Amino acid sequence: DADVTQTPRNRITKTGKRIMLECSQTKGHDRMYWYRQDPGLGLRLIYYSFDVKDINKGEISDGYSVSRQAQAKFSLSLESAIPNQTALYFCATSDESQRKKLFFGSGTQLSVL
Amino acid sequence: RKEVEQDPGPFNVPEGATVAFNCTYSNSASQSFFWYRQDCRKEPKLLMSVYSSGNEDGRFTAQLNRASQYISLLIRDSKLSDSATYLCVVRGYSTLTFGKGTMLLVSP
């Protein structure tokens, strides 16, 4: 089983719908991250969390919210999806001793029509 | 100036060639530096860390020049399996910043 699991793998939705992307990890890491990747723009940080009570905005947090339900779970929500949120979304984890190394999930391809 | 800049490529090289990727970063307080590899539509994976003294891992050599804020990756004897996008990554105080990546295509 994957250490960092993202669900769903693919999602097509309509403008205005609420969407939740889920991430769970079995690595026991404290730190979790959500990135989005767009062609030609690289990976950009949306939100990150260093423990269950810690939530921080990243470079592009507008239009997104997150919830750290437990050490192992970090979900990303789009309250009202819009087409320019169509992207490949990655969840990642790291720990204090290895904060240089991110472990990524397999990604969620989200399409907003 | 963008935080982390890379030549987007693609770099098209024949098998066996030597290829070099460059990267510059804007934050002089950056603490750590890395190269990640990403295959098409897959998750990025750490290729190697980059140290000022230079470091080598098989056919891969990474260099860091802090004074110039410049990072490089050299791949010798390219293989078909090296075809991927190479991401330059810089760590600030708390998070990693990714470059947009340089695509490498190795042909027979």
Side-chain angles (χ1 to χ4, degrees), chain B residues 20-37:
Chain B
F21 302 137
N22 303 318
C23 170
T24 57
Y25 61 95
S26 60
N27 185 352
S28 59
S30 298
Q31 300 183 5
S32 308
F33 310 89
F34 315 94
W35 286 100
Y36 276 68
R37 171 192 167 128

Side-chain angles (χ1 to χ4, degrees), chain B residues 8-63:
Chain B
F11 284 40
N12 288 282
V13 302
E15 273 187 291
T18 296
V19 60
F21 302 137
N22 303 318
C23 170
T24 57
Y25 61 95
S26 60
N27 185 352
S28 59
S30 298
Q31 300 183 5
S32 308
F33 310 89
F34 315 94
W35 286 100
Y36 276 68
R37 171 192 167 128
Q38 185 176 25
D39 294 290
C40 187
R41 310 300 290 172
K42 298 290 182 76
E43 70 273 23
K45 294 183 180 179
L46 179 65
L47 179 66
M48 59 196 304
S49 301
V50 188
Y51 304 111
S52 297
S53 56
N55 50 298
E56 188 173 307
D57 182 2
R59 298 180 293 109
F60 299 84
T61 301
Q63 293 275 358

Side-chain angles (χ1 to χ4, degrees), chain A residues 9 31 33 35 37 39-43 45 48 50 88 90 99-107 109, chain B residues 3 31-32 34 36 38 41-46 49 51 87 91 93-101:
Chain A
R9 290 297 306 276
R31 301 178 176 213
Y33 310 78
Y35 287 88
Q37 186 171 36
L41 292 180
L43 279 143
L45 183 63
Y48 62 102
F50 284 174
L88 182 57
F90 287 106
R99 56 185 185 272
K100 63 183 181 184
K101 184 173 182 176
L102 293 179
F103 295 83
F104 285 88
S106 299
Q109 176 62 54
Chain B
E3 287 195 57
Q31 300 183 5
S32 308
F34 315 94
Y36 276 68
Q38 185 176 25
R41 310 300 290 172
K42 298 290 182 76
E43 70 273 23
K45 294 183 180 179
L46 179 65
S49 301
Y51 304 111
L87 306 173
R91 186 172 77 81
Y93 178 71
S94 57
T95 62
L96 299 183
T97 300
F98 287 75
K100 294 179 182 180

Side-chain angles (χ1 to χ4, degrees), chain A residues 50-107:
Chain A
F50 284 174
D51 65 41
V52 175
K53 297 180 181 179
D54 176 73
I55 300 290
N56 303 282
K57 291 183 177 181
E59 180 186 350
I60 52 162
S61 58
D62 287 349
Y64 301 94
S65 62
V66 290
S67 174
R68 186 79 184 267
Q69 302 97 318
Q71 186 200 38
K73 296 182 182 296
F74 192 37
S75 58
L76 176 71
S77 294
L78 288 69
E79 295 301 325
S80 179
I82 56 177
N84 75 1
Q85 290 177 313
T86 293
L88 182 57
Y89 290 83
F90 287 106
C91 174
T93 73
S94 68
D95 67 15
E96 181 63 24
S97 65
Q98 294 193 72
R99 56 185 185 272
K100 63 183 181 184
K101 184 173 182 176
L102 293 179
F103 295 83
F104 285 88
S106 299

